[in-house]
Each structure stands twice: as structure tokens, then as C-alpha cells.
Amino acid sequence: MFKTKIAGIGSYLPDNIITNDDLAQRMDTNDAWIQERTGIQSRRYATNFKETTTTMGAKAASVAIERAGIIPEDIDFIIFATLSPDYYFPGCGVLVQRELGITKTECGALDIRNQCSGFIYGLSVADQFIKTGMYKNILLIGSEMHSMGLDYSNDGRNVTVIFGDGAGAVILQPAVNEKQGILSTHLHANGTYAEKLATLSPGCHGGYHASRVETEIDYGFPDTPYGGIFVTEHMVKNNQVAATMDGQFVFKMAVQKFPEVIGEALKKNGLDKSDIDMLIPHQANLRISQFVQKQMGLTDDKIWNNIQKYGNTTAASIPIALCEAWENGKIKEGDLVCLAAFGSGFTWGAALLHW
Ligand code: ACO
């Protein structure tokens, strides 16, 4: 059995910087509130008609491909994690394959819908394929264009201020050096709280889950099915098509599950918190990361946070942060790196690897 190594990494952030003051022009919020609660100072927004989740993913992928010393045609499987796909279907996996011009090989493309933990889930799937020898070059992308799906009215301000756009990508290969590579991945979910952080519409639920939300929602679905409608006029008129979040509940779960799953990964490998050289937590909220850092007893040089500049980029946040930490020389060959995420679903997970 091979271990899986990250052979190349890249990221892409759109040029358009949106500060907290910019958001305050559009909704009742302010820089002090946002920084105090989340640590975020700015985020990036993609440009409509020019950029999408797929094109940003492709740009990050191109960097990762070049750094891995391969060409696009060498890729034999694509995994794409996002909650903000270009289309309801097909997924971004096939779109990025087209964007990168690798349709000739007809390699498989898989889409992952695990929100903030999408990158860790994708990494785990890729790891299984590499370990068994099925694939030699897997492209894993996490990319999000949240800016198109946010509610810029006061109703959405608790969610909207948190999220930003961007992409990160890695090329995964069998490790030749046995001291390098993924040690283990750990995946968890609890669907009890599916509606605590969700975009409930558009969807094909016909209102079935309506009683799961605290204030039952009327989505305006008709009694009899009618073709091809994911979004009713009622949903659009009543502002039901943007993400909603019970922020305090999410916060409480996150600070519990992050240390729990990191501890599980360390225990599985007979390692201790003090063995971690770099923790890359999903950039959910700076306060969550700081809480986890304190719980783990990690010094400032053993954790990488960049949510201050980019906001929460969901599936993209880990590869963007990992790429930035590596580019800044903070991760060196042989270092023990821990990746950990928690988010909507709820789903959460961790991975331990030697760089
Ligand atoms: N600007 C100004 N005021 C605001 C804003 C805003 N953007 N948003 C909400 N408020 C107001 C509320 O209306 C409320 O006012 P009230 O007291 O008059 O009713 C007050 O601020 C407090 O609101 P809370 O929602 O209780 O604020 P809280 O301290 O919980 O902070 C936050 C909200 C930042 C969302 C916090 O709960 C949080 O960070 N939770 C974790 C969320 C998270 O990390 N999500 C992402 C992880 S999962 C993923 O990545 C998909």
C-alpha cells in the first residue's frame, strides 16, 4: 500500500477586495462588530460574467499542476468540493475538466457536497484511491463563489459578513518517500442539525422538512408536483434562497468538534498535540480558531489563520491557508501537518500528514 502525498498546491483569490466598510454601505453593520465577532477585515468577491466557482478552481488547479511537475492530461481523477456550484447540476467536476482542457482522457470527475469539511472529505476519498493503487494523479479542488448567493439585506447580515470567494487545489500522488504522506483521515457527520446552517431553497423537498426549522417555513410549493421547478416565486419573494445560520449553535458545536476530531487523529497515530508542527483549521471564524489553538496548547507559529483577509471560503479555506502557509515557508518537508474542519451538515473531519 502506498501513502498519499501532496505533490503540488495552488490557490486563487479574486482581485476584488471587499472591506467591512464596503458591506456597511449595503446593510446595517460595521467594521467593529465584524472584527470583534469574527476577526474578518476583508474578503474577496469574484466578478460576475468573468469568474465562477469552476474558473477559480481551474486557476488554483493550474498552479498545483505546474508545481507537481505534471500536465493536465496526466490527471486520472478529479474531485471538486463546493457548496456554490455553477449549476444545480451537472457539478463543477466536469466543468473544471472542460475548463482545464482534459476531456480527451475522459478521466472520472466526482463532486463533493460537504460544505466546510468538503476538502477533508475529498482528501480522504483521494487517499483511498491512491493507497489502493487505482489512481496516480488526483486533482482535488475546493472552490466557492459565495458572493452570488448571499443576502445583502439586513436579514442576512449575520451570514453575509462572514463569507468570501476563492479556490485552492492540490495534486495527490503516491508517496515515494515513506516518511511523507497522509497518516490518516477521520470523517464525521450528524444530520440532526442539518437546518442549523443551510440554504434550504432551491431544493426538491416539497416542504417535507419544513417542521425541522424552529419557525416552520411556507415555501409556497404547490400541492401537486410540477416539472423542473426547484425555486418557487414565493421563495424568491420571501428571501428564502440565501443561507441561514444559527450562529451561536454553530459556534458551540464547532469549538467542541474541532478539538475532538483532532484528538482522535492524534490518538490513532500514537501522537501528541505537541507533535503538531502546523495546524490548518478551516477558516470558519477567527474566534473559533483561537479557541481551538488554546485548547490544543499551540503557540502562534503552529497555526495558520488568514480569515482576516479572505473571510470564510468554506471548501476552499483549508487549501488556500495550506498553500499560503507553505508559500511563506512555514511548512517544511517532514513537518506534521494537521488539517481540521467543521461545518454545515453538520459534517466535520481531520487529516494528519507528513509534508
Ligand atoms: N452587524 C451588526 N450587527 C449584527 C450583525 C452584523 N453583521 N449580525 C447580527 N447582528 C446583530 C444581531 O441582530 C443581534 O442584535 P440584537 O442583540 O439587537 O438582537 C446582535 O448582533 C447579536 O447577534 P448574534 O447572532 O447573537 O451574534 P453573535 O455574537 O452570536 O455573533 C456570529 C454572530 C458572528 C455569526 C457568531 O454566532 C458566529 O461566529 N458563529 C459561528 C458561525 C460560523 O463560524 N459559521 C461558519 C462555520 S460553518 C461554515 O464555515 C459553513
Side-chain angles (χ1 to χ4, degrees), residues 1-68:
M1 287 250 276
F2 300 100
K3 276 205 282 179
T4 307
K5 70 164 182 181
I6 294 177
I9 185 162
S11 68
Y12 174 78
L13 278 313
D15 294 337
N16 192 13
I17 299 171
I18 305 292
T19 64
N20 295 340
D21 288 339
D22 292 331
L23 289 181
Q25 310 264 327
R26 300 183 66 175
M27 66 191 82
D28 190 6
T29 190
N30 58 75
D31 179 55
W33 193 98
I34 299 171
Q35 285 214 46
E36 188 194 317
R37 301 297 215 283
T38 71
I40 299 167
Q41 296 164 12
S42 63
R43 73 284 296 138
R44 305 291 179 93
Y45 280 180
T47 306
N48 285 358
F49 304 109
K50 273 176 73 183
E51 292 175 309
T52 72
T53 293
T54 296
T55 69
M56 291 190 288
K59 286 205 166 128
S62 297
V63 178
I65 289 167
E66 200 191 321
R67 284 175 174 170

Side-chain angles (χ1 to χ4, degrees), residues 27-30 33-34 37-38 83 115-116 157-159 161-163 197 245-251 254 282-285 288 312 314 342-344:
M27 66 191 82
D28 190 6
T29 190
N30 58 75
W33 193 98
I34 299 171
R37 301 297 215 283
T38 71
L83 68 67
Q115 300 70 246
C116 306
R157 63 183 179 168
N158 67 322
V159 175
V161 299
I162 294 178
F163 293 98
L197 173 49
M245 173 172 72
D246 179 343
Q248 291 190 6
F249 192 82
V250 173
F251 198 103
H282 159 55
Q283 303 290 293
N285 180 321
I288 294 175
N312 178 337
T314 309
F342 175 86
S344 160

Side-chain angles (χ1 to χ4, degrees), residues 83 111 121-122 134 178 183-184 198 203 207 231 259 282 292 299 320:
L83 68 67
D111 290 274
Y121 268 73
M134 183 156 171
E178 60 182 42
L183 297 174
S184 62
V231 192
H282 159 55
V292 175
T299 48
I320 292 172

Side-chain angles (χ1 to χ4, degrees), residues 122-139:
L123 192 70
S124 184
V125 171
D127 187 32
Q128 314 314 314
F129 280 137
I130 299 271
K131 277 200 291 213
T132 55
M134 183 156 171
Y135 294 126
K136 290 197 164 45
N137 284 299
I138 297 183
L139 168 61

